[in-house]
Short mmCIF file of all heavy atoms in Angstrom, two decimals:
data_model
loop_
_atom_site.label_atom_id
_atom_site.label_comp_id
_atom_site.label_asym_id
_atom_site.label_seq_id
_atom_site.Cartn_x
_atom_site.Cartn_y
_atom_site.Cartn_z
N GLU A 172 -49.16 16.44 -18.00
CA GLU A 172 -49.94 16.00 -19.15
C GLU A 172 -51.28 15.35 -18.78
O GLU A 172 -52.23 15.41 -19.56
CB GLU A 172 -49.11 15.02 -19.99
CG GLU A 172 -47.90 15.66 -20.63
CD GLU A 172 -48.27 16.85 -21.51
OE1 GLU A 172 -49.27 16.76 -22.26
OE2 GLU A 172 -47.57 17.88 -21.44
N ILE A 173 -51.37 14.71 -17.61
CA ILE A 173 -52.56 13.94 -17.26
C ILE A 173 -53.31 14.56 -16.08
O ILE A 173 -54.50 14.32 -15.90
CB ILE A 173 -52.18 12.48 -16.93
CG1 ILE A 173 -51.41 11.84 -18.07
CG2 ILE A 173 -53.42 11.64 -16.62
CD1 ILE A 173 -50.86 10.46 -17.73
N GLY A 174 -52.59 15.33 -15.28
CA GLY A 174 -53.19 15.79 -14.03
C GLY A 174 -53.10 14.70 -12.99
O GLY A 174 -52.13 13.95 -12.93
N TYR A 175 -54.14 14.57 -12.17
CA TYR A 175 -54.11 13.64 -11.03
C TYR A 175 -55.03 12.44 -11.25
O TYR A 175 -55.41 11.76 -10.30
CB TYR A 175 -54.51 14.38 -9.76
CG TYR A 175 -53.55 15.51 -9.42
CD1 TYR A 175 -53.78 16.80 -9.90
CD2 TYR A 175 -52.42 15.27 -8.66
CE1 TYR A 175 -52.90 17.83 -9.60
CE2 TYR A 175 -51.53 16.30 -8.37
CZ TYR A 175 -51.78 17.57 -8.84
OH TYR A 175 -50.90 18.59 -8.55
N ALA A 176 -55.36 12.15 -12.49
CA ALA A 176 -56.28 11.06 -12.80
C ALA A 176 -55.61 9.70 -12.67
O ALA A 176 -54.42 9.54 -12.96
CB ALA A 176 -56.83 11.23 -14.21
N ASP A 177 -56.40 8.72 -12.27
CA ASP A 177 -55.94 7.35 -12.17
C ASP A 177 -56.23 6.63 -13.49
O ASP A 177 -57.21 5.91 -13.64
CB ASP A 177 -56.65 6.64 -11.01
CG ASP A 177 -56.18 5.19 -10.84
OD1 ASP A 177 -55.30 4.76 -11.59
OD2 ASP A 177 -56.72 4.51 -9.94
N ARG A 178 -55.34 6.85 -14.45
CA ARG A 178 -55.46 6.21 -15.77
C ARG A 178 -54.11 6.27 -16.45
O ARG A 178 -53.25 7.09 -16.11
CB ARG A 178 -56.51 6.92 -16.63
CG ARG A 178 -56.18 8.35 -17.00
CD ARG A 178 -57.13 8.89 -18.07
NE ARG A 178 -56.85 10.29 -18.41
CZ ARG A 178 -55.93 10.68 -19.28
NH1 ARG A 178 -55.16 9.78 -19.89
NH2 ARG A 178 -55.77 11.96 -19.55
N PRO A 179 -53.89 5.41 -17.43
CA PRO A 179 -52.63 5.48 -18.18
C PRO A 179 -52.66 6.65 -19.15
O PRO A 179 -53.74 7.13 -19.55
CB PRO A 179 -52.59 4.15 -18.93
CG PRO A 179 -54.03 3.76 -19.07
CD PRO A 179 -54.73 4.27 -17.85
N PRO A 180 -51.50 7.14 -19.55
CA PRO A 180 -51.47 8.20 -20.56
C PRO A 180 -51.87 7.66 -21.92
O PRO A 180 -51.66 6.48 -22.23
CB PRO A 180 -50.01 8.65 -20.56
CG PRO A 180 -49.25 7.45 -20.09
CD PRO A 180 -50.15 6.75 -19.12
N THR A 181 -52.46 8.50 -22.73
CA THR A 181 -52.69 8.14 -24.12
C THR A 181 -51.34 8.13 -24.84
O THR A 181 -50.36 8.69 -24.33
CB THR A 181 -53.62 9.14 -24.80
OG1 THR A 181 -52.95 10.42 -24.87
CG2 THR A 181 -54.94 9.29 -24.04
N PRO A 182 -51.25 7.52 -26.01
CA PRO A 182 -49.98 7.56 -26.74
C PRO A 182 -49.48 8.99 -26.97
O PRO A 182 -48.27 9.25 -26.84
CB PRO A 182 -50.32 6.87 -28.06
CG PRO A 182 -51.42 5.91 -27.70
CD PRO A 182 -52.24 6.64 -26.67
N ALA A 183 -50.37 9.91 -27.25
CA ALA A 183 -49.95 11.30 -27.48
C ALA A 183 -49.44 11.93 -26.18
O ALA A 183 -48.44 12.67 -26.18
CB ALA A 183 -51.12 12.13 -28.04
N GLU A 184 -50.12 11.65 -25.08
CA GLU A 184 -49.68 12.19 -23.79
C GLU A 184 -48.32 11.63 -23.39
O GLU A 184 -47.45 12.36 -22.91
CB GLU A 184 -50.71 11.88 -22.71
CG GLU A 184 -51.99 12.68 -22.83
CD GLU A 184 -53.12 12.16 -21.95
OE1 GLU A 184 -53.05 10.97 -21.54
OE2 GLU A 184 -54.05 12.93 -21.67
N LEU A 185 -48.13 10.33 -23.62
CA LEU A 185 -46.86 9.71 -23.28
C LEU A 185 -45.73 10.29 -24.11
O LEU A 185 -44.63 10.53 -23.59
CB LEU A 185 -46.94 8.20 -23.47
CG LEU A 185 -45.70 7.41 -23.06
CD1 LEU A 185 -45.35 7.65 -21.60
CD2 LEU A 185 -45.90 5.92 -23.33
#
Side-chain angles (χ1 to χ4, degrees):
E172 294 303 318
I173 305 173
Y175 298 91
D177 181 2
R178 64 169 178 84
T181 66
E184 288 168 340
L185 183 58

